[in-house]
C-alpha cells in the first residue's frame, strides 16, 4: 500500500503501481474532477497540480508521485485559503473558479477542470498575465495544448483576466488584514 | 394504453359541474385539502387520465398532466422538466427558465430546478436541437395553460371576473385581493389535462397541442435579461456528477476492441493472460469483442494486449480521404437516389450572361470530436434495463435499446448526466457506447461501464458528411448576378444505428435509404442553406444524395457513417455558395460586402450588413487587395465576408486574416459577427454561444479533415485530427442587433459556427489573389492553391 498526498490529505492507495494517477483518483479515491479525455497527454482534461506544476495525470504512474503534493479542482478553494491565510469557508471558491462563474466560461465544461488547473499554475507564477502569456501557457508550455472542443477559448481568456483581478483585490484585503493583525 | 382502457378511464372520471375548460385543457377539482403540510403539492394531483397515445407507458411520465412538465410547490418554488439535455448550450437552464417564468409571470429565480433528459422523469422526448425554435413551445404552452387555470381559480376565489385578475412577479391580484401560485395550488386537489400528440419515443417526441393564449411579447420583462447559467457553479466547483463519474456496486469496466476495418468480421478473439490479468474476461457477441474487468486500468492494459492478438478479416472499400473529392466529383454516378431541387429554384439558369464563373468546392468529413470519448453504464434490475449516459435524444435511444434487445420500451430507462459537447452526434439517441454497455450488461447480468478510448471515438463514431459542390454564376453587364446554379453532392446526413447493435448482429433501425419516409434518415440530399439573394431572377439548386460511403460494400454494413453536426448540411452548402459569391464580386470588380447588399431584398439583411461594415472596420473596395500576391514569406492581409439565414435568424460575418505564402500558414486575426436572431432571450448566453460556435468554425476551417485509407479511419487522436488551440484564437466581436419587430426566439451557436469558413476563404482570396475552394486551410492545401 502506498500513501499519496491529495488536496492536503493523506490517502492510501491499493492499485498496482503502474496505474496512472488518473485511474487512482477517479476509481479508488473518488476524486472526480480530473477527466479522461485521451489518456495520451494530448488534451489536458486530466490535469492536476504536482507541487504547483501542471501535469497530465493520465500518463503518470501514481507510484512516482509519492511525497508530492497533488491538487485537483476539488482542492483549489482550500489551496487559496491556505495561501492567503483565509478562514476555512466551504462556500468560497478559488479566484479562478469564481472567475469561471462570473465570466460564464464553460460551454459543456468537460475541459474546464484542466483549464482551471493550468490557469492556476499560470497565475501563481504570473499574477497579471498578458494575452501572449495566456497563449503560451495554454498552447506550448505543457506536453500538448489544452484543448477545448466547444472552443470556449475567448471566454477562458476573459476568465483568466478576471481571475487576475479577483486575486489582486483579495490579496490586497488579505495583506491588509495581516498587517492589521500584526500591529 | 388501449382505446378500451382509455374509454374505461374516461367513464371513471365523472366530469363534475365544477370542472372548467381552460382553452381546451380540462381542469378537474376533487375537493379541498388543508393548507398545512402540503409543501409538495403540485397542480395535478390525480394522474388518472391520459389522452396521450403512446407505446411506452411504464417508467414514463404522463405528458397530459402539467405537473409532468411544471411542478408548482406550496412555497412558490417551481420545477420544470424537459426531455432535452444540455451540451453546453445552457438553454434549458437559462432560456427555458426565462420563457416559462415569463408565461407564468413569476421571477425566474422561483424556478429552482430543471429536470432534464431522464426518460422516467421527463414528459416529452424528442431530440435536443432547435431548442428555442420549436422545442421550447411545449413548455411555453404548458406554462400558459397553467397560468390560465390559476387565473380562473383565483377569479373564483376572489369572486371577480377572470379579466380582473393579474399576475405580476408571482403575485396574483384583483384590486386589493392578493394570492400566489403556491396558495392556489396547495389548498386544492386539482387536475389539468392538456392535449398532447405524437409518440414519446419517436425522433421528435410529443407535442403539446391547442392554442392557449401566450403572453404578448410587448409585455416581456424576463426574456432578454442576461440570466447566468446556474449549473456553471456546481460544474466548476466539482459537485456535478458527469456521465463518466457514475458508479454502481459490482460494476465491471469494459473496453471494446473494435474491428480492424469498417468492414472486418471476427476470425478469432485474443485470449486473456490470466496470470497478468486475473480479474479480466473477454466477451464476444458476434463481431462485438469486449474486455471486461473489475479493475478499470486492468481492462485498459488487457484490451491493448488482446487487441493485438485478435484476428479480423481484412477489408478495403473506401476511396481514401485523398481520393474523396475526386470520387464525389467524377466517379459517383448519382443514380441511386433521386435529386432534390430547392424551393428557391426559378427562372432559366441557362439564360446567356456577359460574364460567368463555374467552380468546384469541397468540404471534407469532420468529426464531432468531443473532448471526452463516449462512456455509458448499463444495469439490469428486475427486468428493467437502465442506461446511465449522456444523450441528446434519450427517448429515441430508449426505443433503440429496446429494439436491439427485443425488449418492451416499458422495460428500458435512460438516465442522463452532464457530458462532453458532441454537437448533434447523439440527436438520434446514441453517441456510441450506450448500446455496447446495454448488450454487455444484458449478457453478463452485472452492471457494465463502457468507456471508449480516444481512438475508438475517432475511428468508430459517426462523422459530419463531406460535400462536393459545383457552382455556376452568370453576371450581367451591370455586374449583377443573372443566373445562379448550384449542384451539391454528397453522402446522407444521418445514420442513427447504434454501432454495437450492428457489430453484435442485433436489430436496429435502417441506415439512410432513398425511400426512407423520414427525411432525417433519407439518403436524399436536400438544400439546407436557405437562399438569400432574392434579387436574382434565375436560380437552380439541386442536392444529389447517395448511400453512405462504403456501407454497401462493407460485409458488416458499416462504412463511413454520417451524422449531423452543429449546422448540418447548411455548413457544407453555405461554404461553396458564399465562397463563389466572393469570387463573383471580384470578377465584376465589386466590393464583396456591397455585392451582397445589392443582391438581398430583406431589410434585416441590409441592416446587419450595414452594421457589419461599421463594426468590422470594413474597407469598401474590390478584392484582391492591392498588396495581394501568391509568393514570398511576408504575411499578407485580407478580409472576407459571408452571410447566412438560419431559423429566421440573420447572420453576417467578416474575417480578417493573414496568409504566409511560403509557409502556407493562415492566421485568423479577428472576426466580427453580427446577428439579428429574432427575440434575444438571453444576450449573455447568446454572446458566449456565438463566440464559441464561431471559434469551432475557425477550427474546422483551418485544421479539420477526417483521414481514412481504404479500410479504416486513420484520424486516431489529437495529432492526427488537430483542432484549434488557444494561441490561434482570433479576437471575436459579437454584435447582437435584433430586429425589434421579430416574433420568434433567436437561436445561438449554429449559424455562428457555419458561416465563418466562407468569410475566411474570401479573405484568403483578398490577401493572395488566388482562390482556395476547399477546407481545411492546412499549409499543404494552401500551397497547392497558391501554386
Ligand atoms: S486525458 Fe490526459 S491529457 Fe488527455
Ligand atoms: S467547454 Fe466543452 S470542451 Fe471545453
Amino acid at each position: 500500500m502506498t500513501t499519496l498526498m491529495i488536496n492536503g490529505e493523506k490517502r492510501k492507495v491499493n492499485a498496482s503501481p503502474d496505474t496512472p494517477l488518473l485511474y487512482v483518483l477517479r476509481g479508488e479515491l473518488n476524486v472526480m474532477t480530473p477527466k479522461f479525455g485521451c489518456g495520451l497527454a494530448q488534451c489536458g482534461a486530466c490535469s492536476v497540480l504536482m507541487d504547483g506544476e501542471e501535469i497530465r495525470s493520465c500518463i503518470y504512474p501514481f507510484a512516482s508521485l509519492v511525497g508530492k503534493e497533488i491538487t485537483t479542482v476539488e482542492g483549489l478553494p482550500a489551496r487559496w485559503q491556505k495561501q492567503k491565510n483565509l478562514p476555512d469557508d466551504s462556500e468560497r471558491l478559488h479566484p479562478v473558479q469564481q472567475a469561471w462563474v462570473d465570466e460564464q466560461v464553460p460551454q459543456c465544461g468537460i475541459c474546464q477542470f484542466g483549464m482551471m488547473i493550468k490557469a492556476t499554475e499560470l497565475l501563481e507564477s504570473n499574477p497579471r498575465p498578458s494575452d501572449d502569456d495566456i497563449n503560451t501557457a495554454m498552447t506550448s508550455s505543457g506536453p500538448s495544448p489544452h484543448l477545448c472542443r466547444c472552443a470556449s477559448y475567448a471566454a477562458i481568456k476573459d476568465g483568466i483576466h478576471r481571475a487576475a483581478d479577483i486575486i489582486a483585490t483579495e490579496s490586497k484585503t488579505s495583506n491588509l488584514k495581516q498587517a492589521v493583525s500584526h500591529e | 394504453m388501449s382505446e378500451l382502457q382509455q374509454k374505461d378511464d374516461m367513464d371513471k372520471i365523472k366530469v363534475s359541474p365544477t370542472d372548467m375548460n381552460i382553452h381546451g385543457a380540462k381542469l378537474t377539482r376533487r375537493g379541498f385539502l388543508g393548507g398545512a403540510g402540503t409543501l409538495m403539492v403540485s397542480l395535478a394531483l390525480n394522474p388518472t387520465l391520459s389522452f396521450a397515445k403512446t407505446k411506452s407507458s411504464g417508467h414514463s411520465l404522463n405528458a397530459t398532466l402539467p405537473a409532468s412538465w411544471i411542478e408548482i410547490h406550496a412555497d412558490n418554488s417551481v420545477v420544470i422538466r424537459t426531455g432535452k439535455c444540455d451540451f453546453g448550450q445552457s438553454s434549458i437552464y437559462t432560456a427555458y427558465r426565462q420563457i416559462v417564468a415569463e408565461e407564468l409571470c413569476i421571477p425566474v429565480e422561483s424556478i429552482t430546478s430543471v429536470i432534464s433528459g431522464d426518460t422516467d422523469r421527463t414528459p416529452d422526448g424528442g431530440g435536443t436541437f432547435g431548442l428555442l425554435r420549436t422545442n421550447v413551445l411545449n413548455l411555453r404552452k404548458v406554462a400558459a395553460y397553467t397560468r390560465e387555470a390559476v387565473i380562473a381559480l383565483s377569479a373564483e376565489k376572489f369572486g371577480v371576473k377572470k379579466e380582473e385578475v393579474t399576475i405580476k412577479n408571482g403575485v396574483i391580484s384583483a384590486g386589493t385581493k392578493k394570492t400566489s401560485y403556491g396558495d392556489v395550488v396547495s389548498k386544492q386537489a386539482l387536475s389539468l389535462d392538456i392535449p398532447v400528440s405524437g409518440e414519446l419515443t419517436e425522433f421528435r417526441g410529443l407535442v403539446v397541442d391547442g392554442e392557449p393564449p401566450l403572453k404578448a411579447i410587448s409585455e416581456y420583462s424576463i426574456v432578454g435579461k442576461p440570466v447566468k447559467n446556474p449549473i456553471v457553479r456546481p460544474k466548476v466547483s466539482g459537485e456535478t456528477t458527469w456521465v463518466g463519474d457514475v458508479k454502481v456496486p459490482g460494476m465491471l469496466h469494459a473496453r471494446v476492441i473494435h474491428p480492424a476495418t469498417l468492414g472486418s468480421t471476427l476470425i478469432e478473439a485474443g485470449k486473456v493472460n490470466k496470470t497478468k490479468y486475473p480479474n479480466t474476461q473477454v466477451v464476444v457477441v458476434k463481431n462485438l469483442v469486449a474486455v471486461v474487468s473489475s479493475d478499470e486500468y486492468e481492462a485498459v492494459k488487457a484490451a491493448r494486449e488482446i487487441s493485438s492478438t485478435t484476428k479480423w478479416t481484412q477489408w478495403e472499400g473506401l476511396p481514401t480521404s485523398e481520393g474523396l473529392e475526386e470520387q464525389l466529383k467524377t466517379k459517383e454516378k448519382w443514380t441511386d437516389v433521386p435529386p432534390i431541387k430547392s424551393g428557391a429554384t426559378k427562372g432559366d439558369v441557362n439564360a446567356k450572361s456577359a460574364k460567368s464563373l463555374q467552380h468546384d468546392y469541397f468540404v471534407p468529413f469532420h468529426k464531432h470530436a468531443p473532448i471526452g470519448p463516449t462512456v455509458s453504464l448499463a444495469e439490469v434490475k428486475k427486468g428493467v434495463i437502465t442506461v446511465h449516459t449522456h444523450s441528446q435524444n434519450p427517448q429515441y435511444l430508449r426505443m433503440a435499446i429496446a429494439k436491439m434487445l427485443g425488449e418492451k420500451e416499458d422495460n428500458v430507462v435512460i438516465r442522463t448526466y452532464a457530458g462532453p459537447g458532441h454537437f448533434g452526434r447523439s440527436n438520434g439517441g446514441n453517441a456510441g457506447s450506450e448500446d455496447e454497455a446495454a448488450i454487455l450488461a444484458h449478457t453478463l447480468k452485472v452492471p457494465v461501464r463502457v468507456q471508449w478510448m480516444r481512438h475508438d471515438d475517432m475511428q468508430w463514431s459517426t462523422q459530419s458528411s463531406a460535400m462536393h459542390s459545383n457552382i455556376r454564376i452568370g453576371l450581367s453587364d451591370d455586374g449583377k448576378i443573372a443566373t445562379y446554379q448550384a449542384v451539391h453532392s454528397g453522402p446522407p446526413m444521418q445514420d442513427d444505428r447504434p454501432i454495437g447493435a450492428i457489430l453484435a448482429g442485433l436489430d436496429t433501425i435502417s441506415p439512410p435509404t432513398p425511400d426512407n419516409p423520414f427525411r432525417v434518415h433519407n439518403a436524399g440530399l436536400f438544400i439546407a442553406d436557405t437562399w438569400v439573394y432574392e434579387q436574382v431572377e434565375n436560380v437552380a439548386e439541386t442536392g444529389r444524395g447517395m448511400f453512405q460511403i462504403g456501407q454497401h460494400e462493407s460485409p458488416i454494413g458499416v462504412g463511413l457513417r454520417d451524422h449531423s453536426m452543429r449546422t448540418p448540411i447548411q455548413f457544407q452548402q453555405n461554404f461553396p455558395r458564399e465562397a463563389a459569391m466572393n469570387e463573383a464580386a471580384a470578377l465584376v470588380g465589386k466590393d464583396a460586402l456591397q455585392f451582397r447588399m445589392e443582391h438581398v431584398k430583406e431589410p434585416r439583411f441590409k441592416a446587419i450588413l450595414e452594421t457589419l461594415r461599421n463594426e468590422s472596420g470594413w474597407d469598401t473596395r474590390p478584392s484582391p487587395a492591392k498588396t495581394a500576391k501568391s509568393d514570398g514569406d511576408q504575411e499578407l492581409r485580407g478580409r472576407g465576408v459571408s452571410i447566412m439565414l438560419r431559423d429566421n435568424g440573420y447572420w453576417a460575418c467578416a474575417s480578417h486574416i493573414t496568409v504566409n505564402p511560403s509557409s502556407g500558414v493562415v492566421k485568423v486575426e479577428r472576426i466580427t459577427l453580427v446577428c439579428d436572431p429574432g427575440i434575444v432571450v438571453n444576450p449573455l448566453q447568446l454572446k458566449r454561444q456565438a463566440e464559441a460556435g464561431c471559434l469551432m468554425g475557425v477550427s474546422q476551417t483551418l485544421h479539420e479533415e477526417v483521414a481514412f485509407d481504404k479500410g479504416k479511419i486513420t484520424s486516431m487522436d489529437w495529432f492526427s485530427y488537430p483542432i484549434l488551440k488557444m494561441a490561434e484564437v482570433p479576437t471575436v466581436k459579437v454584435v447582437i442587433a435584433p430586429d425589434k419587430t421579430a416574433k420568434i426566439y433567436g437561436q445561438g451557436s449554429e449559424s455562428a459556427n457555419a458561416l465563418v469558413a466562407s468569410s475566411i476563404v474570401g479573405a484568403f482570396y483578398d490577401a493572395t489573389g488566388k482562390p482556395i475552394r476547399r477546407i481545411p486551410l492546412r499549409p499543404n492545401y494552401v500551397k497547392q492553391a497558391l501554386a
Side-chain angles (χ1 to χ4, degrees), chain A residues 87-113:
Chain A
D88 278 359
D89 179 354
S90 59
E91 285 300 296
R92 187 189 196 111
L93 297 174
H94 187 281
V96 168
Q97 293 170 299
Q98 188 56 51
W100 254 238
V101 178
D102 294 347
E103 287 291 337
Q104 299 280 285
V105 173
Q107 294 278 303
C108 79
I110 192 92
C111 70
Q112 303 293 350
F113 304 103

mmCIF file of all heavy atoms in Angstrom, chain A residues 87-113:
data_model
loop_
_atom_site.group_PDB
_atom_site.id
_atom_site.type_symbol
_atom_site.label_atom_id
_atom_site.label_comp_id
_atom_site.label_asym_id
_atom_site.label_seq_id
_atom_site.Cartn_x
_atom_site.Cartn_y
_atom_site.Cartn_z
ATOM 1 N N PRO A 87 -9.834 32.279 6.570
ATOM 2 C CA PRO A 87 -10.521 31.262 7.368
ATOM 3 C C PRO A 87 -11.173 30.220 6.449
ATOM 4 O O PRO A 87 -11.570 30.559 5.335
ATOM 5 C CB PRO A 87 -11.594 32.065 8.122
ATOM 6 C CG PRO A 87 -11.782 33.321 7.336
ATOM 7 C CD PRO A 87 -10.457 33.613 6.686
ATOM 8 N N ASP A 88 -11.258 28.983 6.920
ATOM 9 C CA ASP A 88 -11.920 27.925 6.131
ATOM 10 C C ASP A 88 -13.334 28.348 5.792
ATOM 11 O O ASP A 88 -14.078 28.768 6.677
ATOM 12 C CB ASP A 88 -11.996 26.628 6.952
ATOM 13 C CG ASP A 88 -10.679 25.874 6.860
ATOM 14 O OD1 ASP A 88 -9.779 26.367 6.155
ATOM 15 O OD2 ASP A 88 -10.575 24.814 7.502
ATOM 16 N N ASP A 89 -13.669 28.251 4.531
ATOM 17 C CA ASP A 89 -15.018 28.616 4.124
ATOM 18 C C ASP A 89 -15.389 27.714 2.960
ATOM 19 O O ASP A 89 -14.858 27.853 1.856
ATOM 20 C CB ASP A 89 -15.021 30.095 3.704
ATOM 21 C CG ASP A 89 -16.401 30.550 3.232
ATOM 22 O OD1 ASP A 89 -17.302 29.681 3.132
ATOM 23 O OD2 ASP A 89 -16.542 31.749 2.939
ATOM 24 N N SER A 90 -16.275 26.769 3.232
ATOM 25 C CA SER A 90 -16.573 25.767 2.205
ATOM 26 C C SER A 90 -17.346 26.371 1.024
ATOM 27 O O SER A 90 -17.418 25.785 -0.042
ATOM 28 C CB SER A 90 -17.351 24.606 2.809
ATOM 29 O OG SER A 90 -18.546 25.091 3.368
ATOM 30 N N GLU A 91 -17.932 27.534 1.217
ATOM 31 C CA GLU A 91 -18.699 28.169 0.145
ATOM 32 C C GLU A 91 -17.817 28.984 -0.806
ATOM 33 O O GLU A 91 -18.217 29.334 -1.892
ATOM 34 C CB GLU A 91 -19.771 29.103 0.725
ATOM 35 C CG GLU A 91 -20.967 28.376 1.311
ATOM 36 C CD GLU A 91 -21.681 27.522 0.259
ATOM 37 O OE1 GLU A 91 -22.202 28.105 -0.698
ATOM 38 O OE2 GLU A 91 -21.675 26.278 0.400
ATOM 39 N N ARG A 92 -16.616 29.326 -0.308
ATOM 40 C CA ARG A 92 -15.772 30.225 -1.074
ATOM 41 C C ARG A 92 -14.960 29.468 -2.117
ATOM 42 O O ARG A 92 -14.285 28.495 -1.826
ATOM 43 C CB ARG A 92 -14.821 30.924 -0.093
ATOM 44 C CG ARG A 92 -13.991 32.005 -0.709
ATOM 45 C CD ARG A 92 -12.943 32.460 0.289
ATOM 46 N NE ARG A 92 -12.398 33.721 -0.115
ATOM 47 C CZ ARG A 92 -12.594 34.863 0.532
ATOM 48 N NH1 ARG A 92 -13.310 34.882 1.647
ATOM 49 N NH2 ARG A 92 -12.060 35.967 0.083
ATOM 50 N N LEU A 93 -15.033 29.945 -3.338
ATOM 51 C CA LEU A 93 -14.304 29.292 -4.416
ATOM 52 C C LEU A 93 -12.921 29.921 -4.580
ATOM 53 O O LEU A 93 -12.673 31.036 -4.129
ATOM 54 C CB LEU A 93 -15.059 29.445 -5.741
ATOM 55 C CG LEU A 93 -16.447 28.805 -5.838
ATOM 56 C CD1 LEU A 93 -17.112 29.190 -7.159
ATOM 57 C CD2 LEU A 93 -16.360 27.285 -5.716
ATOM 58 N N HIS A 94 -12.031 29.209 -5.226
ATOM 59 C CA HIS A 94 -10.748 29.762 -5.659
ATOM 60 C C HIS A 94 -11.047 30.885 -6.669
ATOM 61 O O HIS A 94 -12.015 30.784 -7.440
ATOM 62 C CB HIS A 94 -9.933 28.645 -6.309
ATOM 63 C CG HIS A 94 -8.529 29.023 -6.668
ATOM 64 N ND1 HIS A 94 -8.222 29.751 -7.796
ATOM 65 C CD2 HIS A 94 -7.346 28.774 -6.052
ATOM 66 C CE1 HIS A 94 -6.906 29.933 -7.856
ATOM 67 N NE2 HIS A 94 -6.350 29.349 -6.807
ATOM 68 N N PRO A 95 -10.232 31.941 -6.708
ATOM 69 C CA PRO A 95 -10.487 33.029 -7.667
ATOM 70 C C PRO A 95 -10.679 32.553 -9.106
ATOM 71 O O PRO A 95 -11.478 33.124 -9.851
ATOM 72 C CB PRO A 95 -9.236 33.899 -7.547
ATOM 73 C CG PRO A 95 -8.741 33.673 -6.173
ATOM 74 C CD PRO A 95 -9.085 32.250 -5.826
ATOM 75 N N VAL A 96 -9.947 31.520 -9.483
ATOM 76 C CA VAL A 96 -10.104 31.023 -10.853
ATOM 77 C C VAL A 96 -11.506 30.442 -11.049
ATOM 78 O O VAL A 96 -12.189 30.725 -12.034
ATOM 79 C CB VAL A 96 -9.026 29.965 -11.184
ATOM 80 C CG1 VAL A 96 -9.344 29.241 -12.483
ATOM 81 C CG2 VAL A 96 -7.656 30.636 -11.272
ATOM 82 N N GLN A 97 -11.956 29.658 -10.066
ATOM 83 C CA GLN A 97 -13.305 29.093 -10.187
ATOM 84 C C GLN A 97 -14.358 30.212 -10.187
ATOM 85 O O GLN A 97 -15.309 30.184 -10.958
ATOM 86 C CB GLN A 97 -13.585 28.153 -9.005
ATOM 87 C CG GLN A 97 -12.718 26.900 -9.010
ATOM 88 C CD GLN A 97 -12.870 26.142 -7.700
ATOM 89 O OE1 GLN A 97 -12.559 26.671 -6.630
ATOM 90 N NE2 GLN A 97 -13.357 24.915 -7.785
ATOM 91 N N GLN A 98 -14.152 31.189 -9.281
ATOM 92 C CA GLN A 98 -15.102 32.297 -9.195
ATOM 93 C C GLN A 98 -15.148 33.067 -10.515
ATOM 94 O O GLN A 98 -16.219 33.418 -11.007
ATOM 95 C CB GLN A 98 -14.715 33.242 -8.045
ATOM 96 C CG GLN A 98 -15.761 34.309 -7.759
ATOM 97 C CD GLN A 98 -17.136 33.698 -7.454
ATOM 98 O OE1 GLN A 98 -17.251 32.807 -6.603
ATOM 99 N NE2 GLN A 98 -18.166 34.144 -8.162
ATOM 100 N N ALA A 99 -13.981 33.277 -11.104
ATOM 101 C CA ALA A 99 -13.921 33.981 -12.389
ATOM 102 C C ALA A 99 -14.640 33.175 -13.472
ATOM 103 O O ALA A 99 -15.303 33.732 -14.336
ATOM 104 C CB ALA A 99 -12.462 34.209 -12.786
ATOM 105 N N TRP A 100 -14.516 31.848 -13.397
ATOM 106 C CA TRP A 100 -15.185 30.990 -14.385
ATOM 107 C C TRP A 100 -16.720 31.138 -14.271
ATOM 108 O O TRP A 100 -17.420 31.062 -15.271
ATOM 109 C CB TRP A 100 -14.754 29.537 -14.179
ATOM 110 C CG TRP A 100 -13.806 28.999 -15.211
ATOM 111 C CD1 TRP A 100 -14.025 27.902 -15.992
ATOM 112 C CD2 TRP A 100 -12.497 29.478 -15.584
ATOM 113 N NE1 TRP A 100 -12.948 27.689 -16.823
ATOM 114 C CE2 TRP A 100 -12.005 28.631 -16.600
ATOM 115 C CE3 TRP A 100 -11.694 30.546 -15.175
ATOM 116 C CZ2 TRP A 100 -10.757 28.803 -17.210
ATOM 117 C CZ3 TRP A 100 -10.454 30.728 -15.767
ATOM 118 C CH2 TRP A 100 -9.996 29.874 -16.766
ATOM 119 N N VAL A 101 -17.197 31.332 -13.046
ATOM 120 C CA VAL A 101 -18.643 31.566 -12.851
ATOM 121 C C VAL A 101 -19.003 32.965 -13.348
ATOM 122 O O VAL A 101 -19.927 33.146 -14.143
ATOM 123 C CB VAL A 101 -19.056 31.416 -11.376
ATOM 124 C CG1 VAL A 101 -20.552 31.711 -11.199
ATOM 125 C CG2 VAL A 101 -18.723 30.025 -10.854
ATOM 126 N N ASP A 102 -18.242 33.955 -12.909
ATOM 127 C CA ASP A 102 -18.552 35.343 -13.266
ATOM 128 C C ASP A 102 -18.562 35.551 -14.774
ATOM 129 O O ASP A 102 -19.406 36.252 -15.312
ATOM 130 C CB ASP A 102 -17.508 36.307 -12.661
ATOM 131 C CG ASP A 102 -17.568 36.316 -11.143
ATOM 132 O OD1 ASP A 102 -18.553 35.794 -10.581
ATOM 133 O OD2 ASP A 102 -16.618 36.853 -10.519
ATOM 134 N N GLU A 103 -17.591 34.953 -15.427
ATOM 135 C CA GLU A 103 -17.482 35.151 -16.876
ATOM 136 C C GLU A 103 -18.263 34.110 -17.669
ATOM 137 O O GLU A 103 -18.220 34.103 -18.892
ATOM 138 C CB GLU A 103 -16.005 35.123 -17.305
ATOM 139 C CG GLU A 103 -15.219 36.362 -16.900
ATOM 140 C CD GLU A 103 -15.667 37.609 -17.674
ATOM 141 O OE1 GLU A 103 -16.227 37.477 -18.772
ATOM 142 O OE2 GLU A 103 -15.450 38.721 -17.144
ATOM 143 N N GLN A 104 -18.944 33.197 -16.968
ATOM 144 C CA GLN A 104 -19.713 32.140 -17.652
ATOM 145 C C GLN A 104 -18.844 31.458 -18.715
ATOM 146 O O GLN A 104 -19.193 31.385 -19.889
ATOM 147 C CB GLN A 104 -20.983 32.737 -18.282
ATOM 148 C CG GLN A 104 -21.923 33.363 -17.262
ATOM 149 C CD GLN A 104 -22.784 32.333 -16.541
ATOM 150 O OE1 GLN A 104 -23.735 31.802 -17.080
ATOM 151 N NE2 GLN A 104 -22.435 32.042 -15.277
ATOM 152 N N VAL A 105 -17.695 30.973 -18.246
ATOM 153 C CA VAL A 105 -16.707 30.426 -19.178
ATOM 154 C C VAL A 105 -17.130 29.107 -19.837
ATOM 155 O O VAL A 105 -17.044 28.970 -21.043
ATOM 156 C CB VAL A 105 -15.330 30.269 -18.483
ATOM 157 C CG1 VAL A 105 -14.360 29.538 -19.389
ATOM 158 C CG2 VAL A 105 -14.777 31.629 -18.079
ATOM 159 N N PRO A 106 -17.600 28.115 -19.069
ATOM 160 C CA PRO A 106 -17.789 26.804 -19.707
ATOM 161 C C PRO A 106 -18.897 26.780 -20.747
ATOM 162 O O PRO A 106 -19.909 27.447 -20.578
ATOM 163 C CB PRO A 106 -18.181 25.887 -18.542
ATOM 164 C CG PRO A 106 -17.768 26.600 -17.316
ATOM 165 C CD PRO A 106 -17.873 28.060 -17.631
ATOM 166 N N GLN A 107 -18.683 26.022 -21.774
ATOM 167 C CA GLN A 107 -19.788 25.576 -22.613
ATOM 168 C C GLN A 107 -20.194 24.229 -22.009
ATOM 169 O O GLN A 107 -20.875 24.220 -21.011
ATOM 170 C CB GLN A 107 -19.354 25.483 -24.074
ATOM 171 C CG GLN A 107 -19.007 26.856 -24.665
ATOM 172 C CD GLN A 107 -20.239 27.611 -25.120
ATOM 173 O OE1 GLN A 107 -21.012 27.134 -25.933
ATOM 174 N NE2 GLN A 107 -20.438 28.816 -24.624
ATOM 175 N N CYS A 108 -19.733 23.087 -22.569
ATOM 176 C CA CYS A 108 -20.089 21.826 -21.907
ATOM 177 C C CYS A 108 -19.346 21.693 -20.590
ATOM 178 O O CYS A 108 -19.847 21.130 -19.631
ATOM 179 C CB CYS A 108 -19.809 20.628 -22.813
ATOM 180 S SG CYS A 108 -18.086 20.113 -22.894
ATOM 181 N N GLY A 109 -18.112 22.180 -20.532
ATOM 182 C CA GLY A 109 -17.375 22.182 -19.279
ATOM 183 C C GLY A 109 -16.395 21.051 -19.051
ATOM 184 O O GLY A 109 -15.628 21.085 -18.089
ATOM 185 N N ILE A 110 -16.366 20.058 -19.921
ATOM 186 C CA ILE A 110 -15.540 18.879 -19.641
ATOM 187 C C ILE A 110 -14.054 19.219 -19.608
ATOM 188 O O ILE A 110 -13.291 18.644 -18.839
ATOM 189 C CB ILE A 110 -15.824 17.743 -20.667
ATOM 190 C CG1 ILE A 110 -15.199 16.406 -20.221
ATOM 191 C CG2 ILE A 110 -15.297 18.058 -22.057
ATOM 192 C CD1 ILE A 110 -16.098 15.542 -19.413
ATOM 193 N N CYS A 111 -13.642 20.176 -20.416
ATOM 194 C CA CYS A 111 -12.215 20.524 -20.474
ATOM 195 C C CYS A 111 -11.826 21.496 -19.371
ATOM 196 O O CYS A 111 -10.639 21.783 -19.184
ATOM 197 C CB CYS A 111 -11.894 21.176 -21.806
ATOM 198 S SG CYS A 111 -12.632 22.825 -21.931
ATOM 199 N N GLN A 112 -12.825 22.075 -18.680
ATOM 200 C CA GLN A 112 -12.549 23.241 -17.847
ATOM 201 C C GLN A 112 -11.784 22.911 -16.565
ATOM 202 O O GLN A 112 -11.135 23.776 -15.991
ATOM 203 C CB GLN A 112 -13.839 24.000 -17.519
ATOM 204 C CG GLN A 112 -14.627 24.464 -18.741
ATOM 205 C CD GLN A 112 -13.935 25.538 -19.578
ATOM 206 O OE1 GLN A 112 -12.918 26.107 -19.154
ATOM 207 N NE2 GLN A 112 -14.462 25.825 -20.761
ATOM 208 N N PHE A 113 -11.841 21.656 -16.141
ATOM 209 C CA PHE A 113 -11.072 21.299 -14.936
ATOM 210 C C PHE A 113 -9.580 21.444 -15.231
ATOM 211 O O PHE A 113 -8.833 22.050 -14.458
ATOM 212 C CB PHE A 113 -11.435 19.881 -14.478
ATOM 213 C CG PHE A 113 -12.911 19.739 -14.232
ATOM 214 C CD1 PHE A 113 -13.732 19.099 -15.150
ATOM 215 C CD2 PHE A 113 -13.485 20.305 -13.098
ATOM 216 C CE1 PHE A 113 -15.099 19.003 -14.940
ATOM 217 C CE2 PHE A 113 -14.850 20.214 -12.882
ATOM 218 C CZ PHE A 113 -15.660 19.569 -13.810
#
